[in-house]
Amino acid sequence: MMNDIIADALTRIRNAAMRKLEVATLLHSNTVVGVLNVLLQKEYITGFKVIDGQNNKKTIQVELKYDDNEKSVINEIKRVSKPGRRVYKNASEIKSFKNGYGTIIVSTNKGVIANDEAHAANVGGELLCTVW
């Protein structure tokens, strides 16, 4: 039984990028889909699709993105809030990350969104992970 499906997804993306794979396969959860939507919107990945597997187990195929030198676009992807230590911030505390080059992915009552959107909508929430 896995406790932290988001950390698992981030690790799978990180490992696939290190091995320069085209596609990473993640376990499905709505929160992971939310995180992937932000990654897609911020152009850290080229796309993803949810696949229905056997026994009603869904997986997600993520297409990783590389630059012209075949280096992964994602320099670092890190879990912030963990099951043992949740990290919540209110809207005024969610500022830019890495001088705007990075993205903080926040789980809010408006769904899983990027830090700039959360700041603009004036909503706080749980800091899921950081990407740059």
Side-chain angles (χ1 to χ4, degrees):
M1 166 72 199
M2 188 187 324
N3 285 331
D4 195 351
I5 196 161
I6 299 166
D8 178 71
L10 300 181
T11 301
R12 287 174 187 226
I13 291 172
R14 203 180 301 116
N15 291 346
M18 277 195 295
R19 292 181 50 208
K20 301 206 181 332
L21 300 177
E22 297 280 309
V23 175
T25 305
L26 316 179
L27 299 171
H28 180 273
S29 91
N30 291 337
T31 311
V32 171
V33 169
V35 168
L36 291 174
N37 277 321
V38 175
L39 291 177
L40 186 61
Q41 179 191 334
K42 297 287 181 188
E43 298 183 359
Y44 288 112
I45 58 176
T46 51
F48 69 92
K49 56 179 177 277
V50 177
I51 293 162
D52 289 317
Q54 61 260 35
N55 303 340
N56 231 354
K57 288 244 191 279
K58 291 180 182 174
T59 58
I60 309 169
Q61 297 282 334
V62 180
E63 295 166 38
L64 300 175
K65 187 173 180 180
Y66 298 95
D67 63 15
D68 299 336
N69 304 328
E70 291 180 21
K71 190 176 172 306
S72 175
V73 181
I74 299 171
N75 294 311
E76 179 185 84
I77 185 163
K78 256 197 192 145
R79 187 79 161 105
V80 177
S81 190
K82 301 180 172 81
R85 182 169 175 269
R86 299 286 185 196
V87 179
Y88 297 96
K89 298 277 187 220
N90 59 35
S92 63
E93 295 173 299
I94 300 172
K95 294 276 192 292
S96 71
F97 174 64
K98 300 265 185 203
N99 292 328
Y101 287 111
T103 303
I104 304 171
I105 300 177
V106 190
S107 176
T108 68
N109 56 3
K110 295 201 172 11
V112 178
I113 56 178
N115 57 333
D116 48 3
E117 266 181 75
H119 195 69
N122 199 26
V123 291
E126 184 181 355
L127 306 187
L128 297 179
C129 59
T130 57
V131 193
W132 68 277

